[in-house]
Amino acid sequence: MEYQALAKDILGHVGGKENIISLVHCATRLRFKLKENQKADAEGLKKNLGVIMVVESGGQFQVVIGNHVNDVWKAVRAEAGLHDDTPVAADENGDNSHLLGRLIDVVSGIFTPFIGILAASGILKGLLALAVVCGWLSPDSGTYKIWFAASDALFFFFPLVLGYTAGKKFGGNPFITMVIGGALTHPMMIQAFEASQQTGAVADAFLGIPVTWFNYSASVIPIILAAWVSCWLEKKSGKLLPSSMKNFFTPLICLAVTVPLTFLVIGPVATWLSQLLANGYQVIYVLAPWLAGAAMGALWQVCVIFGLHWGLVPLMINNLAVLGHDSMLPMLLPAVMGQVGAALGVFLRTRDARLKMLAGSSVTAGIFGITEPAVYGVNLPLRRPFIFGCVAGSIGGAIVGLSQAYVYSFGFANIFTIAQMIPPGGIDASLWGGIIGTVVALMLSCVLTLVAGMPGRAVETTPVTVTAGEDDVLSPMSGTVLALSQVPDATFASGLLGHGAAIIPSDNHVFAPFAGEVASLFQTKHAIGLLSDSGIEVLIHVGIDTVKLDGKHFTAHVNVGDKVKPGDLLLEFDRQAILDAGYDLATPIIISNSDSYAEVITVAASAVNAGSPLLTVSHQ
């Protein structure tokens, strides 16, 4: 299996299968619910090249993978022996988690399983609207009707889908809750609603209790509340009924009680709550739409980082169900394109081959609404591009809010959202306002990043050193720490030359990592061997395949046999020139005589300054 090694590493760092309560995935993330979060090793998992970032938020341990998350999810499930029928472990810490975290966990657990088809349905609706406006299709044609049915089926039968996923999330039989959702959208119930609308009076009753009919198609809150009640009732019935009666009478009780209760109480109350939420949002939006847009454009990506954006998804869907349109999603598009523009600015400016490749792929993914690679892999580590993306998103969001643009179907905020903003009556000024705000966010963040997003680093000729013990190796350079296995060279990555770590340097200097002497110096000056006073043999190899430069861009400040102390300058190299020549600057720092020690331990975090502790050895 292609992702088997990654799956094993992920399982090992989340505490194993026995520590997993549940595992789902969204567009880019694996979302673990763990029994004990302290058993998970987030820092260790971040070192895997297949992992973009690890986030702990909303009661979930989230592993950001990228576009191929579904394949990794399958590999993790296969490795752990998980399947759809696997019993869900009890959440030992669930009662102690804060309310917001539990809410986000519930929402994400219900919507995540079908978020892809939800977005696809919305995009198809938008493309159909575009086809009608452009005259490519007629609403009366068979082609349009079939594609419209494909795009609208999920939304029309929302209670069935939500019934199934909510039933699984609440720990009940999902087929019972799905049937309850089916009852809400049954043709007979819709006919009763239409008849009540025509007569304007309550014409039906249940056991003498008057029934107020509503159209629950495309609704969200009623079925979620009904599913919770059904699952609670199912658990209580399961405890009271004898085992010989459970299989038949538990579903019977749930259906016979929950369905009438939903039409009599849960549905009307939930509908009132839905309308209250939608109208309350509209009041705030109408008061200052530009301010709402500015806030959403600035803060959306921050919410995504911490997984808090799931709290807004039901509100957007609820707006569509109650109002027929939603103003929140268009204001998020500048937030997304702000980060895309910042990544594009990095792509255009950087001469680091690895960063340029990552930024380029992040731009492509971001255009289609997947911003995690751009945020975690490019913008956030560089800081300024992320800030510029948020600022540009805020300005673009204000423009979109001021234009009062709406979407008429749900989906991810991406390039197709523009098609979803086409009003039923045809193109108007609100659509152009949405497009202008989006383009402004994209271009402004790109320009800001090009101008000031990647400032040059001040070069330090001497490192800040600490006292090194006889078993310690200080970092010979400043930069980003990699596991040796992540070095793009099989000889180093395999550990054949010894154990250690690697650093992607952020400046142009190599310093002595301990007190000792220069044991060897390659004629090309790209690598140097050292021997500490305590007998540790270290090889520092600047870059991969840099021997081919034949000494160009390298300067040695020591000779073989020279005595050195921590912090002495050993080598200088032209970092940018080496990158421009197409070489990878991952620098292995290897303890050549690793076999003389019981273990070689990397003690540095993901970033390190020259002179700070990097490696230590333990004796046999």
Side-chain angles (χ1 to χ4, degrees), residues 421-457:
M421 288 193 286
I422 299 176
I427 295 174
D428 61 12
S430 67
L431 175 64
W432 291 115
I435 294 174
I436 291 171
T438 301
V439 173
V440 166
L442 178 70
M443 299 304 296
L444 181 59
S445 61
C446 181
V447 171
L448 288 174
T449 301
L450 281 171
V451 173
M454 299 177 65
R457 294 182 174 89

Side-chain angles (χ1 to χ4, degrees), residues 380-398:
L380 202 56
L382 295 173
R383 297 185 183 179
R384 287 191 184 183
F386 179 75
I387 295 172
F388 290 153
C390 291
V391 171
S394 179
I395 296 172

Side-chain angles (χ1 to χ4, degrees), residues 24-31 55 57-60 62 100-119 158 162 165 220 224 296 299-318 328 332 372 410-412:
V24 294
H25 76 85
C26 56
T28 58
R29 308 182 186 199
L30 297 173
R31 294 173 176 268
V55 181
S57 177
Q60 297 179 335
Q62 304 172 15
L100 178 60
R102 294 175 66 182
L103 175 63
I104 292 172
D105 176 58
V106 168
V107 171
S108 64
I110 292 173
F111 285 92
T112 292
F114 63 92
I115 196 70
I117 185 62
L118 181 63
F158 228 177
L162 287 173
T165 57
V220 177
I224 293 177
M296 294 300 296
L299 299 177
W300 175 251
Q301 288 300 330
V302 177
C303 292
V304 171
I305 289 174
F306 294 102
L308 301 177
H309 60 301
W310 281 105
L312 299 176
V313 170
L315 184 56
M316 288 185 273
I317 297 175
N318 185 67
M328 190 178 297
L332 303 181
E372 278 88 347
F410 182 77
F412 288 121

